[in-house]
Amino acid sequence: MESFRGKYAENTRQALLETAGQLFAHRDYADLSAEELVRAAGLTRGALYHHFDGKRGLFEAVVDDWEGRAAQRIRAAIESASAPFDRVDRGVEEFLNVCAEPDYRHIVLLQGPIGLGWQRWRELDQRHLGSLIVQAVRNLLEAGLIRPHPAELIAGAFYGALTELSLLITESDDPHQARSRAEALVHDLLGGLATGATEKGPAGSE
């Protein structure tokens, strides 16, 4: 009996999460009511408040879910290469690919700061993406491929740059063009830190 209840509770939670994700992908946070969310999921307000403590909690769970899936994609791209600069290149490329996708842009980058507030949105973003940047920087430092500034300082600078670039992509009339320009800029920024040691640097520079 307990197993059945647990499965039912998880199915209810997942139904709310999936339905909210579909709705928030095309609607603004402020325009969706709690009543509309539960009606679309075929559930009750009681279920919403039991699992997520209301619309904001559900939206935070949606943003967290999308951020988690984005981080998995970026991590897989990083792990598909072995050389440190290649790993960074592939991670940045996949990050920017994600940022150019309409649903992610709308839910995470456009509505996320509005619905959650800048500080909470940034906390979620750092939880999923911050550690990937720190590890990439440490790998480059250990390989002697970038200048020896403190890892946390370099990671913070690139996290800030990537965050701002992602928001600029979101606001652009041509997200795919903005994404290409952002990738070129990140390569140049990394190239400015490169030491010129053994491995080729970003975009094939020595």
Side-chain angles (χ1 to χ4, degrees), residues 179-196:
R179 176 239 172 276
S180 296
R181 290 175 173 173
E183 183 174 6
L185 175 58
V186 172
H187 282 150
D188 284 347
L189 292 173
L190 276 169
L193 282 173
T195 61

Side-chain angles (χ1 to χ4, degrees), residues 15-182:
L16 282 165
L17 195 61
E18 290 176 2
T19 300
Q22 293 167 7
L23 291 174
F24 282 124
H26 304 288
R27 301 273 300 279
D28 289 353
Y29 174 79
D31 291 341
L32 268 171
S33 67
E35 185 59 39
E36 188 173 357
L37 286 164
V38 297
R39 187 168 62 247
L43 296 165
T44 64
R45 288 177 67 94
L48 170 64
Y49 282 89
H50 173 72
H51 289 283
F52 298 102
D53 198 28
K55 184 180 87 164
R56 187 184 184 282
L58 176 56
F59 180 64
E60 180 171 319
V62 169
V63 172
D64 191 55
D65 180 57
W66 280 77
E67 288 269 44
R69 285 187 279 141
Q72 288 178 351
R73 286 175 53 180
I74 295 165
R75 186 176 291 106
I78 291 170
E79 292 173 352
S80 69
S82 55
F85 262 129
D86 288 341
R87 290 167 67 87
V88 171
D89 280 347
R90 293 189 189 183
V92 168
E93 180 180 4
E94 190 61 25
F95 169 77
L96 294 173
N97 286 341
V98 169
C99 291
E101 293 173 0
D103 289 356
Y104 183 90
R105 285 171 51 223
H106 189 76
I107 291 174
V108 177
L109 300 177
L110 182 60
Q111 296 301 309
I114 294 171
L116 302 179
W118 175 260
Q119 184 61 38
R120 182 55 181 158
W121 175 81
R122 189 170 181 273
E123 288 172 0
L124 291 179
D125 193 60
Q126 282 190 315
R127 179 198 301 170
H128 291 290
L129 303 179
S131 62
L132 294 177
I133 296 173
V134 170
Q135 188 57 55
V137 167
R138 286 177 177 162
N139 289 342
L140 292 174
L141 286 169
E142 289 170 6
L145 296 172
I146 58 175
R147 302 181 193 284
H149 299 284
E152 290 74 14
L153 192 61
I154 299 174
F158 274 94
Y159 173 80
L162 289 170
T163 299
E164 288 303 316
L165 288 172
S166 71
L167 296 175
L168 289 171
I169 291 170
T170 299
E171 296 166 357
S172 174
D173 293 332
D174 188 342
H176 291 285
Q177 182 185 63
R179 176 239 172 276
S180 296
R181 290 175 173 173

